[in-house]
Amino acid sequence: MRIGIDARKLHDYGIGTYIRNLVRQLVRLDRQTEFVLLCRPDDVPGLGALAPNFRAVAESASNYSLAEQFKVPRALRREGVTLFHAPHYVLPRLVPCPSVVTIHDCIHLMFPQYLQGRFALRYARSSISFSARRATRVLTVSESSKRDILRFVDTEPEKIVVIYNAFDERFGEEPNEDDIARVRERYQLQDAFVLYVGNVKPHKNLGRLIEAFHLVRQRGLDHLKLVLIGDDISKYAALRRAVHTYQLHKYVRFLGYVPEATLAVMYRLAGVFVFPSLYEGFGLPPLEAMASGTPVVASNVSSLPEVTGDAAVLVDPMSPEAIADGMYRVLTLEGLRHTLRARGLARAKQFSWEASVRRIHEIYLEVGASLPATSRVQPEPLGPPTAPPGANGNRPAP
């Protein structure tokens, strides 16, 4: 069996995290099966050097494009791939072999305003529907996402397998004092602060978070800051207007993306992590916060109760007052903070990329076992990885 994995989104925030950890754990787990990683030309040197049974193949077709519908299947045929894993919802229709597809969520169907035009919406709808029906197995990241898939797609429930995401190992490691001091100084984090991590799209509900933060300050915590890490705030001027409406420009900071090592420190410095999202396929930041020992306030909708269990204060995300009350309780009740910290650390231990990828690997083997005997015969041995012209190898491998 020769397994192909679409790694073109290796450096994306959400799906990229999934792909990087999938590949990293497969390298540790399986040194026998041949893997072909379809990736951007710049990623060929790093991915091709992972292990002798991993080969990186340059593929320049853009994601969500007409070109990928033809070029990805062509590459799979050329490389003799007998099982293909698409780690996001686009499974090209001409894929010549059995397939596994990961559908993380149905956000493009639930929030079509994020897509650029009617063609993009039709493409998303048809891709999710086709992938869920055509794939031999459909992987998803929560029971909540499984319900959403079945809501939008007529496919067999038994072919959908829930395999949870997990957190990067660094979030479970205590940073040293020098790193803590450096982050405090670099980002001027001397005061107590509330932390949010993620993008700033409307379903993340940050307008209500800003209002809730204002309410908490009105209740006497006027020294408090709000730090938001993630997307470029210039995309959503409404959030800037909300900050100015409540005269919070001195107390709310939009930092954009920060390195993971810095983020790991920020989780531990925060007084509370707040995640008031209206919809999540999984919701990785609350899990990262729990693994860091930071108390969490999160929405009581979508997959978030499933991920956080009893280790977070769950609130109605439609109510700024409820969000504010959850934040205020955590910030002012020492016993609650201690309980949430202990429960969060225990809850985070139930999630592991090693265990999740081991289950994904089992799915590969199950699907491979069902292939005709002729399909299971390995093609010619993989040659040494070669970098295409112009590949510079600057991007890090998983």
Side-chain angles (χ1 to χ4, degrees):
M1 182 167 61
R2 181 174 285 177
I3 300 173
I5 299 174
D6 185 352
R8 290 174 297 150
K9 295 172 79 69
L10 182 71
H11 300 285
D12 281 22
Y13 179 71
I15 294 175
T17 298
Y18 182 88
I19 294 171
R20 291 191 298 273
N21 283 283
L22 171 65
V23 173
R24 182 183 296 127
Q25 295 298 331
L26 285 173
V27 170
R28 298 173 180 175
L29 178 65
D30 188 338
R31 292 301 182 97
Q32 302 298 321
T33 304
E34 294 179 345
F35 291 91
V36 174
L37 307 177
L38 302 185
C39 62
R40 298 301 177 200
D42 285 355
D43 292 323
V44 167
L47 289 176
L50 289 173
N53 59 321
F54 281 74
R55 181 179 182 184
V57 174
E59 178 50 67
S60 59
S62 298
N63 290 292
Y64 314 113
S65 69
L66 185 61
E68 71 177 346
Q69 293 291 327
F70 298 96
K71 295 185 72 175
V72 169
R74 186 184 307 153
L76 298 179
R77 290 191 187 93
R78 184 182 66 243
E79 301 300 327
V81 168
T82 56
L83 172 64
F84 177 59
H85 183 182
H88 58 110
Y89 66 70
V90 177
L91 178 66
R93 293 174 180 265
L94 299 179
V95 164
C97 57
S99 58
V100 173
V101 63
T102 302
I103 302 177
H104 297 261
D105 55 47
C106 294
I107 193 166
H108 285 162
L109 304 185
M110 301 185 74
F111 296 88
Q113 63 268 33
Y114 295 158
L115 297 169
Q116 297 179 351
R118 294 181 179 179
F119 175 78
L121 177 57
R122 288 198 297 269
Y123 190 86
R125 284 175 173 167
S126 63
S127 293
I128 291 175
S129 178
F130 175 80
S131 297
R133 289 184 285 105
R134 170 68 180 274
T136 310
R137 291 286 190 280
V138 175
L139 310 183
T140 193
V141 294
S142 66
E143 294 292 344
S144 176
S145 274
K146 179 176 180 177
R147 290 192 295 271
D148 292 335
I149 294 168
L150 292 172
R151 170 185 165 190
F152 286 105
V153 178
D154 183 17
T155 191
E156 304 93 333
E158 56 271 16
K159 75 186 286 186
I160 303 177
V161 182
V162 174
I163 302 176
Y164 289 123
N165 288 335
F167 58 92
D168 191 281
E169 295 170 353
R170 76 177 65 209
F171 294 111
E173 300 170 355
E174 190 75 34
N176 61 53
E177 293 183 3
D178 288 342
D179 288 338
I180 293 174
R182 174 183 53 80
V183 172
R184 277 196 187 276
E185 178 64 25
R186 167 68 177 82
Y187 295 95
Q188 295 297 297
L189 297 175
Q190 277 70 40
D191 294 324
F193 66 94
V194 175
L195 180 64
Y196 165 83
V197 176
N199 65 52
V200 298
K201 291 181 179 179
H203 78 280
K204 297 296 187 177
N205 204 29
L206 298 189
R208 291 189 180 92
L209 173 57
I210 290 170
E211 183 178 350
F213 175 68
H214 169 65
L215 295 175
V216 170
R217 283 177 47 80
Q218 283 190 321
R219 294 174 68 173
L221 301 182
D222 54 6
H223 63 289
L224 202 60
K225 301 288 197 305
L226 173 60
V227 176
L228 300 102
I229 296 173
D231 221 342
D232 181 4
I233 188 60
S234 65
K235 297 177 183 177
Y236 298 97
L239 295 181
R240 284 289 188 194
R241 290 196 294 271
V243 169
H244 286 287
T245 295
Y246 299 109
Q247 299 181 345
L248 294 171
H249 56 281
K250 293 183 179 179
Y251 306 100
V252 177
R253 301 177 61 194
F254 296 93
L255 297 185
Y257 288 105
V258 300
E260 283 194 344
T262 299
L263 179 58
V265 174
M266 286 186 167
Y267 275 128
R268 292 174 183 271
L269 293 178
V272 59
F273 176 79
V274 185
F275 202 70
S277 180
L278 300 177
Y279 178 76
E280 295 292 325
F282 181 80
L284 190 56
L287 182 59
E288 293 173 346
M290 291 190 298
S292 303
T294 305
V296 171
V297 174
S299 300
N300 61 4
V301 299
S302 193
S303 65
L304 294 172
E306 185 179 345
V307 172
T308 60
D310 67 349
V313 173
L314 299 179
V315 298
D316 177 3
M318 302 301 293
S319 168
E321 293 79 11
I323 300 170
D325 185 62
M327 294 163 58
Y328 185 82
R329 289 175 56 211
V330 172
L331 291 166
T332 59
L333 299 177
E334 183 177 355
L336 178 60
R337 288 198 305 276
H338 178 79
T339 297
L340 290 176
R341 183 179 188 279
R343 288 180 178 178
L345 291 170
R347 179 68 176 171
K349 290 179 180 178
Q350 299 179 36
F351 298 83
S352 158
W353 278 119
E354 179 183 2
S356 294
V357 175
R358 189 174 295 276
R359 179 65 183 121
I360 293 171
H361 187 259
E362 290 174 357
I363 297 294
Y364 292 164
L365 298 182
E366 290 172 11
V367 174
S370 66
L371 298 177
T374 54
S375 299
R376 296 200 298 270
V377 176
Q378 293 185 351
E380 68 278 1
L382 291 174
T386 57
N392 56 35
N394 289 335
R395 291 182 177 179

